[in-house]
């Protein structure tokens, strides 16, 4: 290892403060289909998009069914394979939003990566638990490499706590949504994603800093490093850099000459397992809530204590959110011991923004003690609207949520200051009773899990400006769907790192787009006067597009010339990448470095490569 490696090693030692969890749902589409139709659980199941199996359940995998296999090949291997059409992503998006929303209970810093992967920065939660606990924490789940972390910055203990949180996250997802997942725990995003894939399915793995270099070095080639996209991989290959070791050993100066200073350093850092990129919040949740379930609470004083605890935790959770809540909602679950039946109800009311004016100044005391007292009084008032304490009561759950967020803007002309002034001259509270979505569900569907507590705004916060939203259930799953999306999104490719390129670009792109949209809306609002936060939110959602990811994915690859353009563009990202790989191998055999269209035209598929299925037989 050269000097640079040593200096990078040193710099990484001082940067283990964060704890990042990468959550990857096991065979996501297949799990969603198995929830919709539990009979499928025991069948080999493949999810079909066009003529390709985009994912399959684990029963099917035992027959050798693989991601991106042709339907014909899948049926040859497993004639009893059950195929479900997966072109309509509506249900997958709904579930994806629920998962992300659930993750927000652990941290506001949640970054979506495709439909089935998320990064969660739990640094604050870890710090909180570190204060509380005196016991020696042990790691939950698997460990990559050995446990002998020598670093004295405290990272080992933090990551152990992180692994316990990851365990909690995964059991929440499983208990509430019935979905199994994998998790990776590390001090940065790169390592968390990489280590997540080392034990699958339904497992979790932690990597300590001392093993990070070994983890990155274990990758097949530099193209497997998340953050090195397809084009960068080609460029590096052109430079004679293929393996991670090649990249370790290559001279930084020549890399800088070829890639530019910033990119060269970034790439060099990545291959040593160094990644300073933050977890970027993807679309802020429309509500932030917490719930606490228990056997029995029947005293008003206990209710007050529990709600106060929830409030304290909630205030911390949204302290870096940057927004001011406009409404507070209290949820209770009452148990009727005679009818042996429990049901939930919620009440919410608007709260004045002045409560939260100083929230940003001190994270530990986001609001003044006086405001907090008033807020608790408000919360108790809501509670009394649902529970008559003059009679005995039996509660099994209490929940608290903030909703109707407004952006915190300090400028005089900003919409927030407008709203703030307006609200503060009104009475402090304007109560209104609402039958929450959860309640409706409870009344209409007794089969629903008793504590589905994903926020009701999930369905509203579905980020697609998609016409599918208004489509009816029965049409959605028609196999004769004549309105197939032009672009198919494939489930994130977990085992292989096919989505690298997407990760590399999409975060930035979608974030910037979103910021632009936000700014645009705020600008519109401030000129056109006051509108409520709800319409602001819904309009933001209408404009927001998670398809940033997809667009990048599609722009990423140019269609090889011997493949039908329409067919190529309709393929899932994974498959495009695989095709490009196959094409490249074919091309490289004729001319290892040339990138000319000539070679593209003459590309010959490798025997048994996926490419042969797509080349027209003319
Ligand atoms: Mg997955
Ligand atoms: Zn450390």
């Amino acid at each position: 290892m050269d000097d640079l490696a040593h200096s990078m090693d040193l710099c990484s030692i001082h940067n283990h403060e964060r704890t990042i969890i990468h959550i990857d749902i096991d065979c996501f589409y297949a799990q969603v289909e198995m929830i919709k139709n539990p009979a499928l659980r025991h069948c080999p199941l493949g999810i079909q998009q066009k003529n390709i199996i985009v994912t399959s359940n684990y029963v099917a995998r035992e027959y050798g069914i693989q991601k991106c296999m042709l339907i014909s090949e899948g049926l040859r291997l497993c004639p009893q394979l059950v195929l479900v059409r997966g072109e309509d992503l509506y249900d997958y998006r709904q579930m994806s939003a629920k998962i992300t929303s659930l993750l927000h209970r652990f941290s506001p810093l949640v970054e979506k990566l495709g439909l089935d992967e998320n990064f969660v920065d739990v640094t604050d939660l870890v710090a909180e638990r570190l204060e509380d606990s005196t016991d020696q924490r042990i790691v939950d789940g698997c460990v990559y490499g050995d446990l002998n972390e020598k670093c004295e910055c405290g990272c080992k203990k933090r990551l152990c706590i992180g692994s316990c949180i990851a365990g909690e996250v995964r059991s929440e997802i499983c208990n509430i949504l019935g979905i199994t997942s994998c998790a990776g725990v590390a001090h940065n995003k790169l390592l968390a994603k990489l280590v997540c894939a080392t034990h699958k399915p339904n497992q979790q793995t932690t990597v300590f800093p001392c093993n990070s270099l070994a983890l990155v070095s274990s990758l097949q080639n530099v193209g497997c490093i998340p953050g090195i996209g397809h084009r960068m991989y080609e460029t590096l290959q052109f430079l004679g850099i293929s393996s991670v070791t090649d990249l370790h050993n290559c001279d930084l100066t020549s890399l800088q000459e070829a890639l530019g200073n910033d990119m060269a350093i970034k790439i060099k850092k990545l291959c040593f397992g160094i990644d300073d990129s933050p977890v970027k919040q993807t679309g802020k949740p429309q509500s932030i809530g917490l719930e606490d379930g228990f056997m029995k609470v029947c005293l008003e004083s206990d209710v007050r204590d529990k709600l106060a605890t929830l409030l304290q935790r909630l205030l911390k959770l949204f302290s870096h959110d940057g927004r001011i809540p406009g409404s507070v909602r209290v949820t209770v679950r009452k148990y009727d011991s005679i009818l042996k039946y429990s049901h939930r109800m919620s009440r919410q009311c608007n709260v004045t923004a002045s409560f939260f004016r100083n929230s940003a100044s001190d994270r530990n005391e986001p609001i003044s003690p006086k405001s907090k007292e008033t807020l608790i009084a408000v919360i108790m008032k809501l509670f009394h609207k649902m529970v008559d304490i003059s009679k005995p009561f039996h509660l099994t759950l209490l929940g608290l949520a903030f909703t109707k967020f407004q952006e915190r803007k300090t400028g005089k002309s900003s919409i927030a200051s407008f709203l703030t002034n307006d609200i503060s001259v009104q009475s402090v509270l304007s109560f209104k009773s609402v039958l929450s979505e959860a309640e409706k569900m409870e009344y209409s569907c007794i089969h629903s899990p008793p504590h589905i507590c994903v926020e009701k705004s999930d369905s509203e916060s579905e980020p697609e400006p998609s016409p599918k939203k208004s489509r009816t259930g029965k049409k959605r799953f028609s196999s004769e769907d004549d309105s197939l999306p032009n672009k198919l999104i494939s489930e994130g490719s977990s085992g292989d790192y096919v989505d690298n390129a997407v990760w590399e670009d999409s975060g930035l792109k979608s974030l910037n787009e979103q910021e632009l949209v936000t700014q645009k809306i705020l600008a519109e609002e401030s000129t056109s006067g006051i509108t409520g936060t709800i319409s602001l939110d819904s309009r933001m959602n209408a404009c927001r597009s998670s398809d940033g990811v997809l667009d990048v994915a599609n722009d990423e690859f140019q269609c090889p010339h011997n493949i039908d353009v329409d067919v190529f563009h309709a393929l899932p990202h994974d498959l495009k990448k695989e095709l490009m790989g196959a094409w490249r191998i074919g091309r490289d055999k004729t001319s290892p470095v040339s990138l000319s269209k000539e070679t593209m035209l003459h590309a010959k598929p490798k025997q048994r490569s996926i490419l042969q299925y797509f080349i027209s037989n003319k």
Side-chain angles (χ1 to χ4, degrees), residues 6 165 271 275 284 370 385 409 439 492 498 512 587:
H6 281 294
I165 296 170
C271 78
D275 172 22
K284 291 178 180 175
K370 200 174 160 231
K385 285 193 168 271
K409 290 277 168 181
E439 264 176 292
V498 171
N512 289 342
R587 187 209 61 200

Side-chain angles (χ1 to χ4, degrees), residues 13 16 151 153 155:
I13 284 171
H16 305 154
C151 180
C153 82
C155 52

Side-chain angles (χ1 to χ4, degrees), residues 592-605:
V593 284
S594 169
L595 296 170
S596 74
K597 285 183 179 173
E598 283 291 304
T599 49
M600 283 183 167
L601 278 165
H602 297 127
K604 289 262 167 21

Side-chain angles (χ1 to χ4, degrees), residues 503-523:
W503 181 26
E504 179 179 42
D505 297 322
S506 68
L508 273 175
K509 182 170 173 180
S510 56
L511 196 79
N512 289 342
E513 272 175 357
Q514 208 172 301
E515 274 171 4
L516 281 175
V517 170
T518 314
Q519 280 167 9
K520 199 173 157 214
I521 290 173
L522 287 171

Side-chain angles (χ1 to χ4, degrees), residues 24-28 67 116-117 200 491-494:
D24 181 6
I25 307 300
D26 302 323
C27 58
F28 180 53
K67 192 173 279 187
D116 71 327
E117 292 182 40
K200 302 177 83 171
E491 181 185 347
S493 59
S494 348

Side-chain angles (χ1 to χ4, degrees), residues 385-598:
K385 285 193 168 271
M386 295 180 283
V387 178
D388 179 0
I389 57 161
S390 66
K391 294 172 190 155
F393 63 90
H394 179 168
L395 301 180
T396 55
L397 178 142
L398 283 165
L400 202 58
F402 287 129
T403 62
K404 297 188 191 172
F405 287 97
Q406 308 159 17
E407 284 298 333
R408 184 194 300 278
K409 290 277 168 181
T410 44
K412 265 188 188 165
S413 60
S414 82
I415 181 68
S417 71
F418 236 97
L419 286 170
T420 306
N421 292 337
D422 192 57
I423 292 168
S424 58
V425 291
Q426 294 172 3
S427 64
V428 176
L429 307 170
S430 53
F431 279 101
K432 62 172 175 187
S433 279
V434 285
L435 187 67
S436 77
E437 210 58 40
E439 264 176 292
K440 284 179 203 158
M441 205 150 67
E442 202 88 3
Y443 290 135
S444 64
C445 173
I446 40 168
H447 299 296
S448 67
H451 60 301
I452 252 232
C453 40
V454 170
E455 295 303 326
K456 67 164 187 170
S457 49
D458 279 351
S459 50
E460 298 156 16
S461 67
E462 203 258 314
E464 293 302 304
S466 157
K468 283 179 222 122
K469 251 177 150 175
S470 56
R471 282 156 79 188
T472 61
K474 61 174 190 282
K475 196 191 167 192
R476 265 192 269 130
F477 293 99
S478 144
S479 57
E480 293 302 310
D481 200 334
D482 53 356
S483 54
L484 292 182
N486 291 329
K487 298 164 178 177
L488 305 177
I489 308 180
S490 137
E491 181 185 347
S493 59
S494 348
D496 43 15
Y497 307 102
V498 171
D499 276 353
N500 300 344
V502 181
W503 181 26
E504 179 179 42
D505 297 322
S506 68
L508 273 175
K509 182 170 173 180
S510 56
L511 196 79
N512 289 342
E513 272 175 357
Q514 208 172 301
E515 274 171 4
L516 281 175
V517 170
T518 314
Q519 280 167 9
K520 199 173 157 214
I521 290 173
L522 287 171
E524 269 173 29
E525 297 295 344
S526 53
T527 49
S528 66
I530 301 168
T531 25
T533 44
I534 301 177
S535 71
L536 196 72
D537 277 354
S538 56
R539 284 172 58 187
M540 275 180 63
N541 279 321
C543 301
R544 189 186 294 153
S545 162
S546 73
D547 271 348
V549 173
L550 180 67
D551 293 340
V552 174
N554 280 336
D555 292 340
E556 177 81 21
F557 304 123
Q558 284 174 342
C559 176
H561 282 53
N562 43 4
I563 292 176
D564 182 89
V565 179
D566 289 339
V567 170
F568 183 77
H569 283 298
L571 292 171
H573 179 71
D574 284 13
L575 195 58
K576 273 187 205 161
K577 176 122 184 180
E578 194 170 324
L579 265 173
M580 288 304 292
W583 166 76
R584 230 177 10 244
I585 290 164
R587 187 209 61 200
D588 288 351
K589 276 189 180 151
T590 37
S591 162
V593 284
S594 169
L595 296 170
S596 74
K597 285 183 179 173
E598 283 291 304

Side-chain angles (χ1 to χ4, degrees), residues 18 20 111 119 121 189 275-281 503:
R18 294 184 298 158
I20 312 289
E111 179 177 344
F119 285 112
D121 184 331
K189 281 161 68 178
D275 172 22
D276 305 320
S277 66
V279 172
K280 305 174 207 102
Q281 243 177 310
W503 181 26

